[in-house]
Amino acid sequence: MTAIFVEVTATRGSAPRDAGTAMKVTLDTIAGTIGGGALEHQAIAHARAMLAEGRCEDSQTLPLGPGLGQCCGGAVSLRYTTTPRPLDAATPLPLPDVQSDVPLWLWGAGHVGRAVVAACPPRAFAITWVDSARDRFPDHVPPHVTVTPAADMPRLAAHAPREAHHLIFTYSHDIDLALCAALLNRGAASVGLIGSDTKKSRFSRRLRDMGLDPSGITCPIGDKSLGKLPAQIAHGALIALIARTQTKVSA
């Protein structure tokens, strides 16, 4: 037994991925995604424990509230099996080749962060890619992308260029919130946040409690009509950002 397939069998309320989504977990690799963040981190740990113990089947239902620190507010049922399950394709969707020196800061090197880097035209933005540890980044990063490990990402955000655009998709909702607060305090050309309408509502309330105006944050990023795959989220987010920055350049 070399791999466990983790499949979403049911969801209740707001959840990052739909039933039928699956990922493949081995002791040292992952393929596919069930939505990232704390949910996926716990599922991967559980699957690897099963591999170590020689177990072939299991199931869980995980609430996405305080226990996992996620704001979706729903619950996800997972099935763990050695039976292969179909995985999502991760092929980047095409984007126009545009050129600018507009700074774009990406916060998080998970599935969506990698999809944005893969899909972004190499001359479209001056990209700074931030995560809390260097080993979160892929082995090969395009030369136009500056990798910046930062143990305290919100502290770095407080010193980011005010003319930069930002896309936030870290593994932690708490870090996401702290980044939003830091960037609202600092000032930014735009701030986009991965999430759901529930996450947007909860973040907005907490940011207002801090004395900050959350109206400048776009959440969720992407285009819902394209789907929830990382490549689809990346495509929608980049289309919107390119349209916004190119309009300003033309003007």
Side-chain angles (χ1 to χ4, degrees):
M1 185 175 67
T2 60
I4 294 288
F5 290 83
V6 186
E7 181 181 13
V8 177
T9 55
T11 64
R12 186 180 73 249
S14 179
R17 298 300 300 276
D18 298 324
T21 303
M23 68 177 178
K24 178 182 178 181
V25 180
T26 72
L27 288 175
D28 54 10
T29 65
I30 304 162
T33 174
I34 58 169
L39 167 68
E40 186 165 291
H41 178 76
Q42 183 163 322
I44 291 168
H46 188 74
R48 286 178 172 160
M50 289 177 61
L51 287 170
E53 296 164 9
R55 290 189 288 142
C56 299
E57 298 285 340
D58 202 356
S59 61
Q60 289 180 316
T61 296
L62 301 173
L64 302 177
L68 288 177
Q70 295 190 213
C71 296
C72 297
V76 175
S77 295
L78 302 175
R79 178 172 59 192
Y80 300 80
T81 178
T82 55
T83 303
R85 309 302 302 159
L87 305 179
D88 294 326
T91 304
L93 301 172
L95 285 165
D97 186 13
V98 296
Q99 184 171 1
S100 78
D101 58 357
V102 174
L104 172 60
W105 285 49
L106 308 178
W107 301 90
H111 299 292
V112 178
R114 293 178 183 222
V116 169
V117 169
C120 189
R123 298 181 296 175
F125 299 99
I127 294 178
T128 299
W129 196 7
V130 186
D131 207 315
S132 56
R134 182 170 291 278
D135 61 8
R136 294 187 187 276
F137 297 97
D139 293 335
H140 302 289
V141 177
H144 63 280
V145 176
T146 300
V147 166
T148 305
D152 189 337
M153 289 190 281
R155 182 177 181 183
L156 177 61
H159 301 279
R162 290 188 172 91
E163 69 274 15
H165 296 266
H166 299 266
L167 294 175
I168 300 172
F169 22 62
T170 79
Y171 59 89
S172 163
H173 283 208
D174 288 341
I175 295 176
D176 287 353
L177 179 65
L179 284 169
C180 287
L183 292 171
L184 289 176
N185 274 312
R186 173 64 172 169
S190 71
V191 179
L193 173 67
I194 196 168
S196 62
D197 292 335
T198 302
K199 181 175 179 179
K200 178 181 181 179
S201 176
R202 293 185 180 182
F203 271 41
S204 294
R205 183 173 63 251
R206 294 177 69 180
L207 289 167
R208 283 193 294 268
D209 289 344
M210 298 177 196
L212 299 169
D213 179 6
S215 61
I217 297 175
T218 299
C219 179
I221 56 171
D223 180 343
K224 290 182 179 179
S225 68
L226 295 175
K228 294 182 178 181
L229 291 177
Q232 293 163 339
I233 296 171
H235 185 73
L238 285 169
I239 283 179
L241 202 52
I242 288 171
R244 177 172 184 161
T245 56
Q246 290 299 302
T247 298
K248 286 194 173 183
V249 169
S250 299

